[in-house]
Amino acid sequence: MRHLLDVLSDGLPEWLEERGQPKYRAAQIRRWLFARRAASFDAMSDLPSGLRGDLERDFRILEGNIATLRQSADGTEKLVVEWSDGRRIECVLLRDGPRRSICVSSQVGCAMGCVFCASGLDGVERNLTRGEILEQMLHLQRRMPEGERLSHVVVMGMGEPLANLDRLLPALREASSKDALGISPRRITISTVGLPDAMERLAREDARFHLAVSLHAPNDALRNQLVPVNRKIGLDAVLAAADSYFERSGRRLTFEYVLLGGINDDVSHARELTHRLRGRTAMLNVIPCNPVAGLPYVAPTAARQRAFRETLERAGINVQFRERKGDAIDAACGQLRRSSSTESRVAR
Ligand code: SAH
């Protein structure tokens, strides 16, 4: 049994050809999956019944079970998906006006070790397959009424997406493909801790997507403490790779900065940051820390947040403070998986 979403563009067409099926069958199956949200081959009523039986025998459409589903009053829905090996990841649907944004994971756990993040507390367990990355999008799409479409994707869930580029890229190509989810690449964001080699590779191979780089500190001394992988990399190399991605893509970069009370939230940090970012076509996304059980980090007071923001704005930096949507349902990456590891399974 193969995961259909793993072999949609390479594997399935060959499988169909071996059975003497016309080429348009692959397109029919895609339509059933992405536009009509079929959950079984049996539902694909314009396929010959013999073919449906063969598909049923050789492929599974959805590999994962929804182990936990949380909904909050603002329309945010968060899923914990459990794969066939028992490993769990999280993904989220956010409703904001007409936007239907989803946040997906790229790995089970994370190896980067950012000190304030729940996803990396136990290290990385494995990469997700391209099918598992794509399947999260289907589970979330199926949370919406028919007729509603996903508009934005951010790869900002568990894991470091650029450490799993070989599987991420094919999944995002499906997400953006017109005969799959058809989400414009401009509305697909890859968030990275800042791995220069992989950023350069992405710039060379496929610079259509929006890139967000998680900075969290304006200098190496502080960044080495908060983002341990920085010790081998350094801010200069991260920013240089971000610049070359921008040159290739022409898309405004986003930098992310989790604001940790008393740690990286001083006006002096904001000033240093403006020097680092000046001259770049970029947006700075500031995210007040979402506290993680067992970790000592908290969001700064409102007054400190305001001072931080005003320092940046006065220096002409485009800054945006991210709303804290989904707090009530542990929507900060990696938190729900931990709190749900003892909860029971609810439904497929
Ligand atoms: N590894 C990638 C993507 C996953 S993290 C990256 O580092 O960008 C996605 C975003 O969530 C990052 O900007 C990260 O810093 C942020 N994040 C992680 N833990 C958080 C917390 N406790 N509170 C607020 N934001 C958090």
Side-chain angles (χ1 to χ4, degrees), residues 102-141:
I102 58 174
C103 174
V104 299
S105 294
S106 55
Q107 299 182 309
V108 183
C110 186
M112 300 300 115
C114 301
V115 295
F116 49 82
C117 175
S119 296
L121 288 174
D122 303 319
V124 65
E125 293 173 49
R126 68 172 173 84
N127 283 323
L128 293 179
T129 63
R130 73 162 87 169
E132 287 167 338
I133 297 171
L134 196 54
E135 179 168 327
Q136 295 170 63
M137 304 183 198
L138 294 190
H139 283 297
L140 294 164
Q141 180 204 41

Side-chain angles (χ1 to χ4, degrees), residues 178-304:
K178 292 238 164 16
D179 59 6
L181 289 170
I183 302 164
S184 161
R186 280 180 289 120
R187 295 174 167 188
I188 297 179
T189 301
I190 302 172
S191 177
T192 178
V193 73
L195 304 178
D197 293 346
M199 289 159 77
E200 301 278 1
R201 182 182 152 200
L202 188 65
R204 276 194 313 275
E205 287 183 16
D206 198 342
R208 296 174 305 148
F209 304 109
H210 191 116
L211 191 67
V213 181
S214 294
L215 287 184
H216 311 319
N219 59 59
D220 281 323
L222 185 55
R223 195 166 195 261
N224 288 345
Q225 288 171 30
L226 302 179
V227 183
V229 71
N230 189 64
R231 290 168 202 159
K232 292 180 292 190
I233 298 172
L235 261 176
D236 285 341
V238 173
L239 292 172
D243 289 341
S244 55
Y245 190 82
F246 172 70
E247 274 163 36
R248 199 46 103 82
S249 70
R251 297 206 193 296
R252 183 176 70 176
L253 295 164
T254 298
F255 292 103
E256 290 164 287
Y257 195 103
V258 173
L259 215 47
L260 309 165
I263 293 179
N264 65 355
D265 64 335
D266 204 80
V267 163
S268 64
H269 296 126
R271 275 198 211 104
E272 213 179 337
L273 196 57
T274 66
H275 293 302
R276 283 283 187 177
L277 297 182
R278 193 167 282 158
R280 291 190 165 81
T281 307
M283 167 65 76
L284 180 70
N285 232 329
V286 181
I287 314 151
C289 175
N290 218 331
V292 172
L295 296 181
Y297 307 98
V298 293
T301 60
R304 279 180 81 86

